[in-house]
Amino acid sequence: MEEEPNSGTEPWAEGLHNTNNNNASPAGWLGARSGHPLAPFGSAGTEPSYLGRVVLEIVESERTYARDLRSIVEGYLGKIIDAEEPVLRPEQVSALFGNIEDIYELSSTLLQNLESCASDPVAVAVCFVTRSQEFAIYTQYCNNYPSSVAALAECMRSKAQARFLRECQERLRHALPLGAYLLKPVQRILKYHLLLQEIAKHFENKAGDDYEVVLEAIDTMTCVAWYINDMKRKHEHAIRQQEIQSLLLGWKGPDLTSYGELVLEGTFRVQRARHERAIFLFDKTLLITKRRGDHYVYKTHIPCSSLMLIESTRDSLCFSLAHYKHGKQQHSLQAKSVEEKRVWTHHIKRLILENHHAIIPQKAKEAILEMDLFYPPRLPRYSPEHLKKSWSCQPLGDATAEPRQGRRQS
């Protein structure tokens, strides 16, 4: 089986901060800043300004990206569909390519818009703001990506299918196999906001309306990247939640999905217990178990609405949990690091506040949580929830949704 480049790197772990991209290199331009932001390429015969090179890189990298997408759609998918004898099963085709045709159509249209901007960085920013809702189709593609990797691995185990895909690669004169190209949309959608940040960084007038447009574009695309990462995380947690349910012994309660999303899981040493405890924190309950081989033996659970947290002043790694009606029956846990304790106590406090029967003012909740000095990454001015409500795509977390088929597929 041919290996994909960067196969050791989990694309979802790149988050919002990875600047390594084969389509664009936002930190890679050299040159001094000069020129007016609306005329970035300077006068005739002169070197373009740094800002001009940034704008040029956005357009050129989108052109390369659109060309790569076209090669997938025409050089692989088209050949499979037009083949006289079926090479791949329909379900393999659907899993392998997802909605790549929709992605290609969006990139082609975006490229046309960018090419008509006459190197105006503000006009470039407007292209992303006006098309913000259309980028929602990437959530479906990113959700399908693990299935795409699995389908490709299956194809490479078949001599006939592997030979067909290699022939397509040779016909296209691609140095890299199909897997490398199927990863590109995942990489690209998480890089747009980084490219736009380079425009803002080298924009001369940071007080005018033009600069505000650039900031809005950054916020828009940061929301897209944040939302996709968040939906992917929820999707993975939902799968993990099903695994825990299947491995849980002695549990007589309802299905774990009734307790909301899996927020955290970890292993802790427990006072007066010979073995460590595997702890699972859900939106609505805390589950305490003991490992037995590959399984988890149920010990107890505490609803978050009844959960009480006691932080130790003697030991920086210890904290205790109890049902507020049974305060003396405490579960004293020892974390492996101060950071682990901080993350767990923060989320426990948050869920206690969210599940408390009394109405707690929002400012009071924020004040309590800020005492942890737990600051999540800065989110854009335009809330991801705002984008989530406006997008028409199916959220990644909904496993019951049927993927939208490409227009060429039956």
Side-chain angles (χ1 to χ4, degrees):
M1 175 178 176
E2 297 177 80
E3 292 186 0
E4 296 180 27
N6 301 324
S7 60
T9 302
E10 173 58 50
W12 307 104
E14 295 176 0
L16 307 183
H17 306 290
N18 189 340
T19 56
N20 181 21
N21 183 16
N22 56 357
N23 291 323
S25 304
W29 298 286
L30 300 175
R33 287 181 290 169
S34 62
H36 190 276
L38 297 184
F41 289 93
S43 57
T46 63
E47 284 292 318
S49 67
Y50 189 97
L51 182 57
R53 278 188 280 266
V54 171
V55 174
L56 179 63
E57 175 69 11
I58 292 176
V59 178
E60 288 298 324
S61 61
E62 190 65 30
R63 184 176 293 117
T64 300
Y65 175 53
R67 184 177 65 243
D68 290 340
L69 292 175
R70 180 179 177 180
S71 69
I72 301 174
V73 172
E74 297 182 356
Y76 283 97
L77 180 58
K79 295 297 181 182
I80 292 171
I81 295 174
D82 296 338
E84 293 183 2
E85 295 292 332
V87 183
L88 279 72
R89 301 190 305 275
E91 62 271 20
Q92 285 182 309
V93 177
S94 179
L96 187 59
F97 297 100
N99 62 333
I100 192 73
E101 291 178 289
D102 296 330
I103 302 291
Y104 170 53
E105 183 178 321
L106 172 58
S107 178
S108 300
T109 305
L110 177 62
L111 176 61
Q112 293 176 6
N113 296 152
L114 292 173
E115 289 175 334
S116 66
C117 290
S119 305
D120 181 347
V122 179
V124 168
V126 170
C127 289
F128 289 93
V129 174
T130 55
R131 293 193 171 276
S132 62
Q133 293 187 14
E134 298 177 34
F135 288 103
I137 62 174
Y138 275 89
T139 59
Q140 181 182 330
Y141 187 87
C142 293
N143 182 38
N144 181 71
Y145 181 72
S147 299
S148 176
V149 173
L152 181 59
E154 181 185 2
C155 291
M156 298 309 293
R157 287 193 292 267
S158 165
K159 291 183 179 180
Q161 293 177 344
R163 182 174 61 253
F164 177 85
L165 294 179
R166 280 195 292 268
E167 289 173 355
C168 289
Q169 179 184 343
E170 292 171 1
R171 192 181 302 110
L172 292 166
R173 297 181 180 179
H174 282 176
L176 299 175
L178 174 60
Y181 287 83
L182 293 174
L183 177 60
K184 287 178 182 288
V186 178
Q187 294 175 320
R188 186 63 174 172
I189 192 62
L190 298 178
K191 300 302 183 293
Y192 282 123
H193 70 292
L194 299 176
L195 294 163
L196 292 166
Q197 283 173 1
E198 284 295 314
I199 291 181
K201 189 185 301 182
H202 301 283
F203 209 84
E204 288 187 353
N205 182 13
K206 291 183 168 58
D209 292 339
D210 288 344
Y211 185 65
E212 282 296 313
V213 173
V214 174
L215 291 183
E216 184 177 354
I218 294 172
D219 283 347
T220 296
M221 298 314 296
T222 301
C223 276
V224 172
W226 183 92
Y227 179 74
I228 286 175
N229 274 283
D230 188 55
M231 290 298 102
K232 176 60 180 175
R233 176 187 59 80
K234 290 182 178 180
H235 184 66
E236 291 173 343
H237 282 198
I239 295 174
R240 176 58 180 155
Q241 198 167 355
Q242 294 173 2
E243 292 176 351
I244 297 168
Q245 179 80 51
S246 66
L247 298 172
L248 189 56
L249 303 176
W251 171 252
K252 301 185 183 303
D255 192 284
L256 293 180
T257 56
S258 64
Y259 292 116
E261 182 188 347
L262 174 64
V263 179
L264 291 172
E265 66 171 287
T267 304
F268 296 86
R269 293 183 58 186
V270 179
Q271 188 178 356
R272 296 188 300 274
R274 290 179 56 190
H275 301 287
E276 291 184 328
R277 295 289 185 259
I279 312 296
F280 302 96
L281 181 63
F282 298 92
D283 283 332
K284 297 181 181 180
T285 198
L286 179 94
L287 177 64
I288 301 177
T289 69
K290 182 177 69 174
R291 287 294 298 265
R292 180 187 293 172
D294 294 332
H295 291 79
Y296 301 99
V297 179
Y298 168 73
K299 301 299 290 184
T300 189
H301 72 287
I302 307 173
C304 290
S305 57
S306 305
L307 189 59
M308 183 168 61
L309 170 68
I310 305 102
E311 296 192 61
S312 173
T313 56
R314 297 180 181 179
D315 192 330
S316 61
L317 298 179
C318 291
F319 61 99
S320 298
L321 301 170
H323 193 294
Y324 80 91
K325 290 184 178 180
H326 310 287
K328 294 183 179 180
Q329 300 176 12
Q330 297 181 11
H331 304 272
S332 299
L333 310 181
Q334 184 179 51
K336 296 178 178 63
S337 66
V338 173
E339 175 65 15
E340 182 183 40
K341 175 188 173 180
R342 186 170 64 85
V343 171
W344 273 80
T345 54
H346 169 81
H347 284 287
I348 289 170
K349 289 178 184 178
R350 176 178 65 82
L351 293 173
I352 289 174
L353 292 170
E354 290 180 1
N355 287 276
H356 201 278
H357 299 301
I359 299 177
I360 303 173
Q362 183 62 30
K363 289 186 178 181
K365 292 182 181 180
E366 293 174 356
I368 293 172
L369 295 177
E370 284 178 4
M371 291 172 64
D372 297 332
L373 298 180
F374 183 92
Y375 296 108
R378 175 189 174 272
L379 292 180
R381 298 173 299 169
Y382 297 89
S383 164
E385 288 300 318
H386 173 75
L387 271 176
K388 179 178 178 180
K389 292 178 181 177
S390 65
W391 285 356
S392 59
C393 72
Q394 185 67 45
L396 293 182
D398 190 348
T400 63
E402 294 184 3
R404 185 157 64 98
Q405 302 295 321
R407 269 175 287 279
R408 295 185 58 176
Q409 303 177 43
S410 59

